[in-house]
Structures are given as C-alpha cells and as structure tokens.
Amino acid sequence: MNLVLFDDPATRTNLLPFTYTRPISKIRVGILTIHEKWEKRLGTTASFLTESYLQKKFPAKAAFDNLFINAAWCPDDKAVEQVKVLMQGEILVKDNTILAWKSSEMSLPDLTKSTPKVLSAEITLIDQPWKIFQHNAAQLRLDFNLITAGRKSAGVQDKPTIVYGEQNIFVEEGVHIRAAVLNAEDGPIYLGKNSVVQEGALIKGPFALCEGSTVNMGGKMRGDSTIGPHSKVGGEISNSVIFGYSNKGHDGFIGNTVIGEWCNLGADTNTSNLKNNYENVKLWNYGKGGFADTGLQFCGLMMGDHSKCGINTMFNTGTVVGVSANIFGDGFPRNFIPSFAWGGASGFTTFQVKKAFETAEKVMERRKIKLEDADKEILTKVFELSAANRIWEKKNV
C-alpha cells in the first residue's frame, strides 16, 4: 500500500496562510501532525499530493497500489477501518467531499463516473484555520492514547512538583521538571522527549509539550493547547496550537490562536480572543478575499510561518498574519496583515524576500537547521502569490 495524502484545492485555500508553506497534512492538531496520525495508524510512510511549488520539498510517490486520503481528515479507529477495506477503484465520500480512494493513477477521481461509498460516521475535517484550535483538545486525547498505548511513562521524579491525575500524565525520556504544578484531572498531559518545565510553571490538561520544547518559569498553560517541537513558551496560553520551532517566551496572553513555525512573539504580546460586544468573530478568508464569519465567539490570532512581532504588540480579535511579516509599534494593527508586510498600526511597507531569507537563515541556524534552496523557492513563490494583498504596493506604482 502506497499512502498518498492529497490536498483538496478549496480546502487548501481556506487554510492559508498555513498552507502557503506546507501541505495540509503537515498541520499539527493534537500532539501529532495529520500525516503523522495516518502513518502511525496505518504503519506506513506517507507522501504528499499538493501544490506544484511545494512538491520539491514535499514530493508525491507514485505506485500501482495507491491509497489516497484527504489530507484534512483526522483519523480515528473507524476511519482506519473504512480505508483499509477500500478496493482498487473505490471512492469513499462524506457530504460530497472525497475522503479516500484507491487507484493506480495520480489524479483526482471523477465522482460523476462512479458510485462512491458513503461514510455515515462523523468525521473531523480540518478545513478552516480555526478548526485547528477548535478540535485540538479532542485530537490531543486521541493522540495521547495512540502514542502511549502499551508504554510506561518515565514519571515525574521531581519531589517539589505537584501532580494531580498522575495516571493521565506521560513523560518521555530526558524530560526535566522543577517545582511545577501538573493537573491532568480534566485531560491528559504529554511531555515530549527532552522537554523542559521550569520552576513555577502551571500546566492544566489537556496539554502537549513536544520534543525539545520549554515552558518557562511561571508559565500558565490553561489547557486544550499544544506546543510543537523545539519551541519556548511563557506567560498565559489557552486553547492554542504552536506548530513548532517558534517562541512566545515572555509574559502576555494568547488564546484560541494558531502560530506557525519559525515565529517569534515579543515580550508582553497579547491577543484578544473575544469581542467586547460578544458577537461572532470574523476572520480573513483568502478564497473569499474578505472576512468570513467563523461562527465562534472566541477566536484569536492566526500567524503564518516566519512571522514576528515586537514587544507590547496588541492583536485584535480574529487577526490573520501571513508569512514572513514583521509587526511592531503602538496601537492595534489591522485584522489582516499580508505576507511580507513590515510595520504596524501606522502603516506597512514591504519586507523584501532577500531580507526575509537573511532573517530566516539566522533564526533557523540557532536550531542547527539550514534554509535550503527548496525553502527559498517556496518563500519566493509565496511572495509572488501574496503580492495582491499588499495594497500599499499598488499605491506606490
């Protein structure tokens, strides 16, 4: 079986800015990314059918016995049962959305020329940015059970650390904890390999701290949150997901928020996640080219890869920041900040792509990771694709 996770074009557009730089299945929700969930459950390695400019870094592998799975679909036991029994040429759908099919051809099937199998069970489809944090707690529980089944936790060895619901805490090898409070009574807590929980940190489950990441002194992790690998966090975090390799190391609040990779939030950065009038939050939608109603009362910040903000930055409810943006200065910046924007409430200029390369190289070098040519090609393409959103450039023509 050759597992290929395919990006539905409309879903991919809705998930921008996160899918500017990755296939849909590379999105982290719960402890694992979507592709890691499928790989673990099916016992195989996945490849990616995505946008052409991403294929150099995330190639698709072709074979005769291809199992194609919708990259936005988060698996559970029932999902795995359904895809395992698919026969060559069969298609599985839910509400006219293609979920999976088996074929020797590397192209989307034509539903008008076949009779698909209809899945009646409820599914989790990450087809909007806010669904990443909305489904994070449930996915964290599923991933926790998947990762820890049949294994023994290293346990919390630090005597000053206070633990509640110890049976719901899993500690990987190399974890360093000092004088913290871990409360897993309402949901599991997962501490990844070589992660660090510093003195005075308060952690409430469900919560995941992935490999090599740190909760700084006095950090308040309010639950339903995931801190991806090699990240540092502090201050107050609630129902948020950080994909990895990003820092929110200081005081300040983020809630109902999703942060991509290689991001940095300056000291005392705060996000609003609730409007003063308690109305539904509207979020910028790239496909619509305008703001769309999320149907949610709570929604904070969506920040794409390689973006940064300065100290004391204030983000309004439902703010979307693209890729490689730099935000700083007094006041609230606009609710939609395009990729490669440089500035804040007083206005923006363009962060040129060569300068973005220089910054990315320095940031990634700190984690001993090189900015490859494929990464530069992706960022260059994103710069081109996002040009229409940088309206100040049109005014200067």
Side-chain angles (χ1 to χ4, degrees), residues 62-323:
F64 176 78
D65 187 22
N66 299 310
L67 171 60
F68 295 90
I69 293 178
N70 191 315
W73 186 17
C74 294
D76 55 19
D77 290 342
K78 289 183 179 179
V80 172
E81 289 174 8
Q82 291 288 330
V83 300
K84 278 186 173 181
V85 298
L86 278 177
M87 304 296 290
Q88 193 81 346
E90 286 188 325
I91 307 168
L92 183 66
V93 300
K94 171 79 174 180
D95 299 329
N96 294 319
T97 296
I98 298 174
L99 296 179
W101 80 94
K102 268 196 171 183
S103 174
S104 59
E105 299 180 8
M106 296 290 284
S107 58
L108 289 171
D110 187 350
L111 290 180
T112 64
K113 297 179 179 179
S114 60
T115 303
K117 297 172 66 175
V118 178
L119 182 66
S120 59
E122 291 300 313
I123 63 169
T124 299
L125 206 64
I126 306 300
D127 54 4
Q128 296 288 347
W130 64 82
K131 290 190 178 182
I132 299 169
F133 69 75
Q134 186 180 44
H135 291 290
N136 195 61
Q139 287 297 308
L140 205 154
R141 287 181 168 92
L142 284 172
D143 289 348
F144 183 88
N145 292 335
L146 180 66
I147 292 171
T148 64
R151 300 176 60 212
K152 184 177 180 180
S153 169
V156 178
Q157 308 301 324
D158 181 57
K159 291 184 178 179
T161 292
I162 300 172
V163 174
Y164 300 94
E166 188 171 6
Q167 70 278 9
N168 296 325
I169 298 174
F170 195 92
V171 181
E172 299 282 6
E173 62 176 290
V175 174
H176 184 83
I177 310 173
R178 288 292 181 268
V181 177
L182 308 179
N183 184 351
E185 291 178 330
D186 295 331
I189 294 174
Y190 175 81
L191 303 179
K193 184 179 178 181
N194 298 326
S195 61
V196 176
V197 180
Q198 293 184 347
E199 296 85 347
L202 307 175
I203 298 177
K204 183 174 176 60
F207 178 81
L209 185 67
C210 296
E211 181 175 351
S213 288
T214 299
V215 177
N216 287 341
M217 289 186 294
K220 306 179 199 64
M221 306 295 112
R222 286 175 47 186
D224 299 344
S225 295
T226 294
I227 311 303
H230 307 288
S231 301
K232 291 183 179 179
V233 295
E236 188 177 4
I237 297 178
S238 175
N239 190 198
S240 296
V241 177
I242 296 176
F243 286 176
Y245 298 94
S246 292
N247 292 335
K248 182 225 167 293
H250 305 284
D251 284 345
F253 170 77
I254 64 171
N256 306 99
T257 285
V258 182
I259 305 292
E261 293 184 338
W262 308 111
C263 297
N264 188 73
L265 277 60
D268 203 33
T269 292
N270 285 281
T271 67
S272 168
N273 63 339
L274 174 67
K275 298 178 71 172
N276 286 346
N277 58 10
Y278 288 72
E279 289 185 354
N280 286 353
V281 179
K282 292 182 179 179
L283 204 66
W284 179 266
N285 181 278
Y286 285 82
K288 180 181 178 182
F291 290 90
D293 191 344
T294 64
L296 301 176
Q297 201 173 62
F298 290 90
C299 185
L301 168 69
M302 306 288 125
M303 178 179 277
D305 290 1
H306 293 285
S307 287
K308 317 282 190 294
C309 67
I311 63 171
N312 299 314
T313 302
M314 301 182 296
F315 289 106
N316 255 315
T317 319
T319 295
V320 174
V321 177
V323 173

Side-chain angles (χ1 to χ4, degrees), residues 42-53:
L42 294 177
T44 189
T45 301
S47 66
F48 312 93
L49 190 58
T50 183
E51 284 290 309
S52 57
Y53 75 89

Side-chain angles (χ1 to χ4, degrees), residues 52-64:
S52 57
Y53 75 89
L54 294 172
Q55 291 281 196
K56 183 175 180 179
K57 185 173 182 180
F58 306 102
K61 177 185 174 183
F64 176 78

